[in-house]
């Protein structure tokens, strides 16, 4: 049996791995993993990585905030994108819709651009699905 301080699993349908396809121009598909500990990990098909948090906002929904560091081989600091939005699990439990905004920050930490709202759609996947190719 788990130690007394171990929280019980939430059973929230958002917990797990999702493959998202974005309507935002030039955004690669991404695997997002929602942990039962309210943490989120993000990796897209070109190797950009991110982390953040999520919170439950209903039985089938949540609110998410993720900071993504763009994969960039240039010597300058890469851009950082802050993605925030609401996510809803469909009735079937294997599809999600994310409505989000983004704020892009350049290497000098000055806000470069805020955009959205955009929509992403996704489906549940195996957590080992996306493996970026090494450079």
């Amino acid at each position: 049996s788990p130690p007394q301080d171990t929280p019980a699993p939430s059973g929230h349908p958002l917990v797990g791995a999702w493959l998202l396809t974005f309507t935002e121009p030039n955004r690669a598909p991404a695997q997002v993993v929602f942990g039962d500990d309210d943490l989120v990990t993000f990796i897209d098909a070109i190797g950009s990585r991110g982390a953040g948090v999520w919170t439950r906002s209903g039985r089938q929904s949540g609110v998410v905030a993720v900071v993504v560091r763009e994969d960039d081989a240039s010597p300058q600091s890469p851009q950082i994108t802050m993605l925030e939005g609401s996510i809803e699990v469909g009735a079937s439990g294997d599809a999600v819709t994310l409505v989000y905004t983004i704020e892009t920050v350049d290497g000098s930490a000055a806000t470069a651009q805020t955009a959205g709202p955009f929509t992403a759609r996704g489906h549940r996947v195996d957590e080992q699905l996306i493996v970026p190719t090494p450079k």
Side-chain angles (χ1 to χ4, degrees), residues 51-102:
V53 296
W54 75 280
T55 188
R56 295 141 183 87
S57 62
R59 291 187 59 193
Q60 296 282 113
S61 60
V63 177
V64 62
V66 177
V67 176
V68 179
R69 188 165 182 105
E70 304 295 329
D71 185 39
D72 188 353
S74 74
Q76 299 175 350
S77 296
Q79 289 189 140
I80 296 173
T81 301
M82 293 175 282
L83 181 149
E84 296 178 344
S86 60
I87 189 162
E88 179 88 23
V89 180
S92 67
D94 62 356
V96 293
T97 301
L98 170 66
V99 177
Y100 66 97
T101 58
I102 61 167

Side-chain angles (χ1 to χ4, degrees), residues 12-34:
H12 197 281
L14 193 52
V15 172
W18 300 89
L19 180 62
L20 298 180
T21 303
F22 298 90
T23 58
E24 177 188 352
N26 304 319
R27 178 130 338 252
Q31 180 175 322
V32 181
V33 178
F34 291 85

